[in-house]
């Protein structure tokens, strides 16, 4: 089934569409954490956490999606078998709303023309870097998810002129 001619990123409850729509005609991005992936697949959360890379890859192939399976290490998997692993960020990113912020970063990158795979990989890295910048200034648990987006333009500027 086709969702849209534009890139689509599904997070949180919106990911429930995979149960209704099945395999997507064009790739969409999904950004579950282990608990959400367990709900979507019927696989125990512990198994998802233990084999996160395989779980992300299986879901990407099953749904024709780019899956960013969030956790202390985030696995990004594409339906064609490509896989990226990001280990970084900090515990402050586990705050409420942080996943919504990540989805927004990915949407913003896709809106600027990045392919979904690239938007997901860059989004995960920028999200983690924003968390690290805030932790350095405010403390590991001293920042809120709503403060993350303000860090992104500076980080992108630094990368562009790196």
């Amino acid at each position: 089934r086709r969702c849209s001619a534009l890139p689509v990123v599904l997070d949180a409850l919106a990911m429930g569409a995979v149960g209704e729509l099945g395999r997507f005609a064009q790739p969409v991005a999904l950004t579950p954490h282990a608990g959400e992936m367990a709900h979507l697949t019927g696989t125990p959360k512990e198994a998802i956490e233990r084999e996160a890379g395989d779980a992300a890859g299986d879901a990407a192939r099953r749904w024709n999606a780019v899956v960013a399976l969030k956790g202390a290490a985030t696995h990004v998997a594409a339906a064609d078998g490509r896989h990226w692993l990001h280990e970084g960020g900090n515990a402050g990113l586990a705050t409420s709303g942080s996943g919504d912020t990540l989805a927004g970063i990915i949407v913003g990158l896709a809106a600027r023309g990045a392919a979904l795979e690239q938007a997901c990989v860059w989004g995960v890295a920028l999200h983690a870097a924003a968390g690290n910048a805030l932790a350095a200034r405010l403390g590991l648990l001293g920042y809120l998810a709503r403060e993350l987006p303000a860090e992104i333009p500076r980080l992108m500027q630094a990368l562009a002129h790196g």
Side-chain angles (χ1 to χ4, degrees), residues 32-33 59 81 106 120 127 160:
H33 55 62
I106 294 169
C120 284
H127 183 252

Side-chain angles (χ1 to χ4, degrees), residues 3 5-6 24 27 30 33 48 58-59 71-72 87 117 123 126 139 147-148:
C3 278
L6 301 172
F24 295 97
L30 304 173
H33 55 62
I48 300 286
D58 291 347
E87 297 177 304
E117 298 91 344
L126 285 167
E147 296 171 296
L148 292 163

Side-chain angles (χ1 to χ4, degrees), residues 40-132:
L40 290 171
T41 63
T43 303
K45 180 180 174 184
E46 297 75 23
I48 300 286
E49 291 170 334
R50 194 172 44 254
E51 300 294 335
D54 290 339
D58 291 347
R61 285 185 295 281
R62 176 179 176 187
W63 296 316
N64 190 31
V66 179
V67 176
L69 181 53
K70 303 175 293 195
T74 296
H75 293 265
V76 178
D80 64 8
R82 290 177 293 156
H83 188 114
W84 300 266
L85 173 64
H86 185 273
E87 297 177 304
N90 58 66
L93 291 170
T95 190
S96 179
S98 182
D100 300 317
T101 302
L102 171 60
I105 294 167
I106 294 169
V107 166
L109 292 167
R112 293 173 60 103
L116 278 178
E117 298 91 344
Q118 187 177 45
C120 284
V121 170
W122 287 1
V124 167
L126 285 167
H127 183 252
N132 288 339

